Structure formats: C-alpha cells, structure tokens
Amino acid sequence: REKKAPAPARREAKIRLEPPPPSGGKKKGTQMKQYMKRNGILLGLTALAVIVSIFVIASRWQVENNNKTYDVVLDYIELEWMAEQSGHDVSWWLNEFKNMGVTKVGLTEENLTTLMEDSPLNVTASMMDKVMQDAGWRDSYPDAFVQEIESRGFDRFDVIVEIANNSDFDAILFLVQAVEARFPAGSYFCMGDSADEAYIFLDGIAADALYGGKGAYTNTKNKGFTEREELRSSKLLYVSLGLMPEKVERIQSAGLEVVPRTLCYNGHNGAQYAQAVVRGYEQYGIVPDYIISGGEAVLGYDDGVDFALDYLTDNQITIGLIETNVQRENIMQSGVDAVALGTGLNTVRVFSMWDYLQYRYGYYGYAGAEEIENALYRAVVERNIRVLYFKPIKQTDDHHVYITDPEVYRDLFAGLDERLAPHGISRGRASVMENYEVPSLAMLAMGLGAGIGGALLPDTFLPMKRKWTLALAGAAAVCVAAAWKILPNSYRLLASFASAVVFACLAAAFFLSAAKGLSRSLPQDAGLLRILPRAALLLAGAVLIALCGAMMTAAPLSSTDYMLELGIFRGVKAAQLAPLAFFCVLFLAYYGLFEKDRQANTLQIRDVAGALRWTIPVWTLALLGAVGAVGYYYLARTGHETDVTVSSVEIILRNILENNLLARPRTKEFLAAFPCAMLAAYCAVRRLPFWTGLFGLVSAIGLTSVCNTFMHIRTPLYLGFVRTGYSLVLGMVLGVIYVCCFELAYRLCRRIRQKYGETEQRENV
C-alpha cells in the first residue's frame, strides 16, 4: 500500500513532462519560408505574370481616363404626358430643361398605335381577326375597298387602317406616303372615297401576329373548360412611319437637338424601309449624335448590316448600347454587335430610366429625388454609362402622376454634376472609348501565371515534393499554351476565371499560414498591443495578394468590348465559392479537427477520416446553420437578377458612404470580412482553433470579394483600388474594435469557467 501511495505524484509528473505549446521565436515563419524557398522559381514566374498584368492595367487606365464626358437625352413622349399635368406646355418645359443643361431630346417615330392613342388624328387600325368577327363588317367599308380586299384575298393576320382628316395636319398624306415609302409593292393598297377619308389595307403574315397570354375559360362550376391564345395585335401596328413634323419643329425651335428613335421589326426592316427612315431624318436636317436602336434590330437588318454600318460611319454617328434593367449586359437587338464592331466600337452605353426608378421620389427617407440622383450617379461612375436617357419623375405612391416642380429637376442635375466633378466627369457630347485590345502575348503570359499559381496550391496543404510541383506546373503551362492557340475567344475568360480563383486561394493560404505562425511566435496570453499590429499586417499582406489576383482577373478582359459589356465575366458565383471550399480543406490541414497544438501543415488521411466521423455538438450545428444562411444570402444577393434584395438599412448606409467618399467600400469587406481576419489572427494566438476557423472562413469571403470587385470589367479601375483601400482601412479600425470586444468576452468566459471550476472542486471535496 505504501508503495502505491505516490501514484498521483507520478501522474502529476506526467502532466509536467508534456511539451508546452511552442512559443519561441526560432521557428517563426519556418514553414512559410521553406515553402517560398522550395517554390522560388515558380513564385518568380507568377510574379512576372502579375507585372505583365500591371502593364495591361496601365493601358486600360489611360483609356478610361480619356472617357470623361456624359450626356443627357430627354424622352419626349413622357415629357408630353408630364406637361399635360403641369399647367405648362411642352415648349415651356423644353426651355426649362435646356436651362438645366439638357441639349438633346429623344423623339420616337410615329406608328399606327401612337397615332390612335397619343395624337389628335382620327386614325383607326384593326386586325382582320377582330373585323371578321362582325358578320356585317363589309357594310362598314366602301364597296370598292371591300371588293379589292376580296380579290386579293385576306386572312386574320391582315390590318385595315381608316383615316379621317380632322385637323390642319394632313393625316391621309402623311400615312399614305409613309406606307408607300416603307412597304414593298403588293403588300398593301390604299383607297379613298373622298378628300377627307381614306383606307389602307396591310397584308400581314403569321410571323407578324402578337398574342396575349393564354386565357382560361371556366364553366358554371368554375371548372376549367378550355384555353385559348387570343390574337391581340400585329407588328404592323408598331412599324415606324416617320417623325411628326410639329414635334420636330417644337424641339428645334427650343434650340435642342433631335435624337430620333426608330423601331425596327424583322420582316419589315429591309433596305427600302431604311432608306425611307433616313430620308425622313434628312427632311428635317437631322444628323443625330447617337442612334439608340429600338425594336428587334438595327436599321435595314433584313438585308444585312451594311446599310446601318455605312450610315453610321459616313455621318460619324455613335451607336448606343442600352443597359438592361438588371444592370448587367446590354439589350442586344439583331445586328447591334456587328455594327458596333464594324465601326471600331464607336459606341456608348446608354442608361434608360426604367419605371421602377421613376417612382423613387421621396425614397429611403429622402425629401426629393436624391435616390434617383444616386442611381444616375452610379450608372455614370461605376458602369461606364455615358448617355442618360431621362424620363420625368413620378409620384412614389401613384404611378400615373408626375412631379411637375421644375426645381426638383434642377436640383437633381445640379447635384449630379457636382458629385461627378471629383471624378473628372462633366457634361457634353458623350465620350467614346478608344478601341483597346489586350496584346496576345500578354494574354499568354497572364494565363501561364494563373496556371503556375494553380500548380502551387497543392503544396500549401499536401506533402508535395519539389519535382511534383514542377511537373504539375509544366503540365499546366502546356494546357494553357494549347488553350491560347486553339481557343482564343474562350481563353481570356478562362484565364480571368482561373486568376480569380487561384489568387484568392493563395491569399487564403498565406493568411492561415501566417496566422498559425503568429500563434507560434507569441505566447497564448500575449497582450493586444502585441497582437493587433501583427494581425493588421497579416490582413494587409493577404489583401495585397488578393489585389495581385484582382489585376490578373481584370487584365485579360480589359479590352474595350468587355468594358462596354459586349462581353462579360462568367462564373462569378463559382469564383466566390471555390476559395471558400479551399479554405475549409486548408484549415483541416493546418488545424485538423480544432487541434490547439498541431505541428504539421499538411493534410493527412486521419484528418479526413476524423472529419467524416466527427460528432458535431448541437450548438455547433446551430452556429454552422446560421453561417450557412448568411452565406446563402451573400451569394443569392450577388448581382441584380435575383429576388434577394439589399435591405433598406444597408442601402441608406451605402448612400451615406457614397456621398462622403470617392468610392463606396464594399459592405461585406469592411463590416465583416476584414475585421474577422484580425479576429482570426487573434484567436490563433489565444489557441481557439474553432473560432480561428470560423472567422478565417468569413475573412476568405473578403479576399474573394477583392477579386470580385475587379470582375466587373465595366467599372473603372481606379474605383476598384480606392474601394479596396477604404475597405482595408475601415476594416482595420473595426477589427480593433471587434477584437477588443471579443477579448472582453473571452476574459469573462474564462473567469466564469474558473469560478465554476473552483465551486465544482469544493463540492467534490
């Protein structure tokens, strides 16, 4: 018994003999230095690719700096509607907008629909499908007209037009001449029984028909009976017939320029139609600065793009690309891309003031049109928009009532010009970007840099020998060179996507390795004054690597066609998800299942097996569920095409930052990701591996976001750099605050646990 008594002392000795967590400085950065020494050549080649991208970025920067003038085109149709509600006529409003600096008015050519609905002319156009439903329809028209229709043959796709002169304007002459000039012989005929009345028959085909949605019929018991698609209208009712003379005269008398809007529809848009349209322009001396195509195609597209191309080139007219209402790509009518390329990209992006923006008067707590001003400001500054197609503002709670106070519009344009001035942007004829193309050899170098960078990734978490890394890099280089030669169009997209993923992963690897190195160089109880400066430097280093990736992402797509969004970056969400998945694998290699004193930085089979067998606590599941929900929200709200919208609170915060800074920092970067990077470094020092992983994963979102900022090729480069700089500085400031708060919580938890442990020991005694 006496010999067995010292057993507790032996157990105590065992505890003392266990090695303490490494805290010496001799091994500081050893693994990172070994990695850099082992892969020095490949890292050097990757750095050379980054340098090439910097030269490409510099050329693009110069192109963007020469693109600093925007223009406003006022929509005439809605100006007329606003004038009706204001007590002032259209001419008065035209002079008011001229005094605000607006010099151009967009005037849509008349068609049968506008002549029926929005003109004082007595014009009626009816589909034969509807006309034939009346058994006595023949009695409604002159006998000679009906006989001509029956001799030619008719069907439900044809259109009958009835015209009566009831004003000083000769509607019959206007319509008859327009039809004769635009429609091929044999596809129509005109007939009049007096000088005051005329009839036109237009021969339609099935391709002209416009249908309403399927309408369901139900019986007396509300049971479905049948469905029918009803023929509602025809393209023939929307074919442009010319500019109304009195409207043109009104605009030109006010000293404003007419920007004609011609709607072109396939099947009625050949050379004859195009020539008639241009003759109509010349009749009023109109040589527009811009052509903003409407309808389905460019002018004369039925016979190819040569007519439009020659007309634009001969008259030095710029073609407009209308941005979609989700602020991504352009509305591409048939032939627009071919004409844009054929003119050497003599092209500007056009922002149309969509309905939902017209209703944002007094929005987000503003007193006036500030939110509309914000939308126009972002369009010009962030998306290379150089023509604003402006429509009058409507009441937020009544979509048919316009704001008729001229001071609202005066304040809007004055405020917009004032905010654009710090960016060097002023009003005038819209500037056109120089047609810049990325050199082919530079494209190859950047692709090789992305491929070699990808070959470096396995060595960050696997026990790779140098020869295998070199072999992998050689294979990547061969594949890149083959793609560059065989798939030149897809190559630049692949090179850009690969750079976004690879450099975000490299930044994450640097961050996690440095955080672990920080935990080895500092004791667990190190003070915040020792931790915070190192954590800030670690964050800055990771962001710098991500910025290298951002330039490598932007450079391959820095040609003017991408800056005009004739092409766009593909795979945004995949480029955001891949680095997050890589970080999870990396963390498993560096920390296993939250091991405090793990020495190796390589993934082992037991790590994977342990992760598969891991018994997850309920609180961890709840926390991971919350993180997953936040992650879904983060991905789902990316872009403007999804149903997940940004909250009003965040919009207001964005507006405040936008109004006070040159560029708005990204919310997820400075509010969450960058402060969490400093929290992750702090938790690494405190030997809190779970929180290191959680905060590190959030920080990885920020590193991918840096690359994502430059995926928007339409956004000028200086905004990306300024935005990232603001995010980094604000993120560091908030990071200090977050770490201090977490430190207080950490000390409180330790005190509670110590007190609880002492109480438990006394109870056991």
Side-chain angles (χ1 to χ4, degrees), residues 25-62:
K26 291 184 179 179
K27 293 186 177 180
K28 179 181 178 182
T30 299
Q31 291 180 338
M32 187 180 297
K33 288 180 179 178
Q34 288 177 351
Y35 177 85
M36 296 180 68
K37 183 178 180 181
R38 188 166 59 247
N39 299 299
I41 295 175
L42 297 182
L43 287 170
L45 292 174
T46 306
L48 285 175
V50 173
I51 292 171
V52 171
S53 74
I54 292 174
F55 281 103
V56 173
I57 289 296
S59 298
R60 172 182 161 183
W61 193 302
Q62 186 61 41

Side-chain angles (χ1 to χ4, degrees), residues 3 6 27 43 144 270 290 360 375 524 538 646 676 705 711 727:
K3 290 182 179 178
K27 293 186 177 180
L43 287 170
Y290 324 114
R360 290 192 172 177
Q524 184 175 350
L538 190 156
V646 181
C676 281
S705 177
M711 292 174 192
S727 294

Side-chain angles (χ1 to χ4, degrees), residues 343-399:
T343 59
L345 294 182
N346 182 15
T347 305
V348 292
R349 300 194 72 217
V350 179
F351 177 79
S352 179
M353 195 160 159
W354 303 102
D355 290 349
Y356 72 90
L357 284 175
Q358 287 180 273
Y359 307 142
R360 290 192 172 177
Y361 181 80
Y363 217 64
Y364 293 131
Y366 289 119
E370 287 87 350
E371 180 56 22
I372 297 172
E373 180 188 315
N374 289 336
L376 300 180
Y377 170 83
R378 295 184 196 112
V380 175
V381 171
E382 297 182 2
R383 303 199 300 277
N384 274 331
I385 296 293
R386 288 299 177 264
V387 172
L388 300 175
Y389 197 81
F390 186 81
K391 299 175 183 177
I393 305 166
K394 298 180 180 180
Q395 294 280 3
T396 303
D397 55 353
D398 194 328
H399 295 175

Side-chain angles (χ1 to χ4, degrees), residues 415-578:
L416 180 61
D417 287 337
E418 183 179 348
R419 292 175 63 185
L420 291 174
H423 297 272
I425 299 174
S426 58
R427 212 169 338 160
R429 175 168 179 169
S431 54
V432 176
M433 277 196 212
E434 175 191 346
N435 188 4
Y436 172 71
E437 293 185 7
V438 180
S440 181
L441 289 177
M443 197 84 74
L444 174 61
M446 290 182 288
L448 289 172
I452 293 171
L456 288 167
L457 290 177
D459 194 24
T460 60
F461 65 94
L462 292 175
M464 294 279 291
K465 292 184 178 180
R466 184 185 182 191
K467 63 179 181 181
W468 294 116
T469 304
L470 290 172
L472 192 60
V478 171
C479 293
V480 167
W484 174 74
K485 188 68 176 177
I486 300 171
L487 304 168
N489 292 327
S490 301
Y491 172 83
R492 55 180 175 171
L493 281 170
L494 292 172
S496 182
F497 175 80
S499 296
V501 173
V502 166
F503 279 84
C505 292
L506 287 173
F510 165 81
F511 171 79
L512 198 56
S513 176
K516 190 171 182 181
L518 193 62
S519 69
R520 291 173 176 170
S521 64
L522 293 176
Q524 184 175 350
D525 58 353
L528 292 185
L529 291 179
R530 298 183 65 188
I531 297 174
L532 288 173
R534 291 170 173 81
L537 287 174
L538 190 156
L539 169 61
V543 170
L544 182 61
I545 295 173
L547 265 179
C548 292
M551 289 186 289
M552 289 281 287
T553 299
L557 303 182
S558 287
S559 299
T560 303
D561 55 342
Y562 274 83
M563 288 189 274
L564 293 171
E565 286 214 320
L566 288 168
I568 62 170
F569 182 92
R570 303 288 180 181
V572 172
K573 286 184 170 57
Q576 292 172 328
L577 281 174

Side-chain angles (χ1 to χ4, degrees), residues 575-714:
Q576 292 172 328
L577 281 174
L580 302 185
F582 178 80
F583 180 87
C584 294
V585 175
L586 203 65
F587 182 82
L588 190 61
Y590 284 24
Y591 285 92
L593 285 178
F594 314 118
E595 300 172 20
K596 292 185 178 181
D597 302 318
R598 185 182 177 97
Q599 296 299 305
N601 282 0
T602 55
L603 189 65
Q604 302 171 24
I605 295 177
R606 67 180 179 88
D607 298 324
V608 179
L612 295 175
R613 295 196 304 268
W614 183 30
T615 302
I616 306 176
V618 174
W619 68 270
T620 306
L621 281 175
L623 185 60
L624 291 176
V627 172
V630 172
Y632 169 77
Y633 176 75
Y634 154 68
L635 289 173
R637 54 168 258 182
T638 299
H640 296 265
E641 301 97 324
T642 65
D643 294 330
V644 180
T645 57
V646 181
S647 67
S648 297
V649 174
E650 186 175 346
I651 289 291
I652 293 171
L653 175 62
R654 287 182 176 187
N655 291 340
I656 293 172
L657 293 170
E658 201 170 66
N659 287 325
N660 292 280
L661 300 175
L662 185 64
R664 174 184 60 81
R666 304 198 78 171
T667 308
K668 57 178 170 283
E669 291 178 4
F670 80 89
L671 274 183
F674 292 169
C676 281
M678 295 182 66
L679 273 170
Y682 160 84
C683 291
V685 175
R686 291 285 186 259
R687 315 298 193 267
L688 301 172
F690 175 81
W691 295 104
T692 302
L694 184 61
F695 291 135
L697 183 62
V698 178
S699 69
I701 292 175
L703 298 177
T704 61
S705 177
V706 172
C707 293
N708 175 259
T709 297
F710 290 80
M711 292 174 192
H712 304 283
I713 306 301
R714 66 197 180 179

Side-chain angles (χ1 to χ4, degrees), residues 256-318:
L256 300 173
E257 301 174 34
V258 175
V259 176
R261 300 294 313 279
T262 301
L263 307 182
C264 303
Y265 296 100
N266 296 333
H268 307 283
N269 184 25
Q272 178 184 346
Y273 174 82
Q275 291 166 0
V277 169
V278 171
R279 284 197 299 270
Y281 296 169
E282 294 172 346
Q283 176 184 350
Y284 303 107
I286 296 173
V287 181
D289 286 340
Y290 324 114
I291 287 290
I292 306 173
S293 297
E296 296 176 334
V298 296
L299 192 62
Y301 184 73
D302 286 355
D303 294 322
V305 299
D306 289 343
F307 183 92
L309 188 57
D310 291 342
Y311 176 67
L312 294 175
T313 304
D314 293 344
N315 294 279
Q316 297 182 344
I317 298 172
T318 301

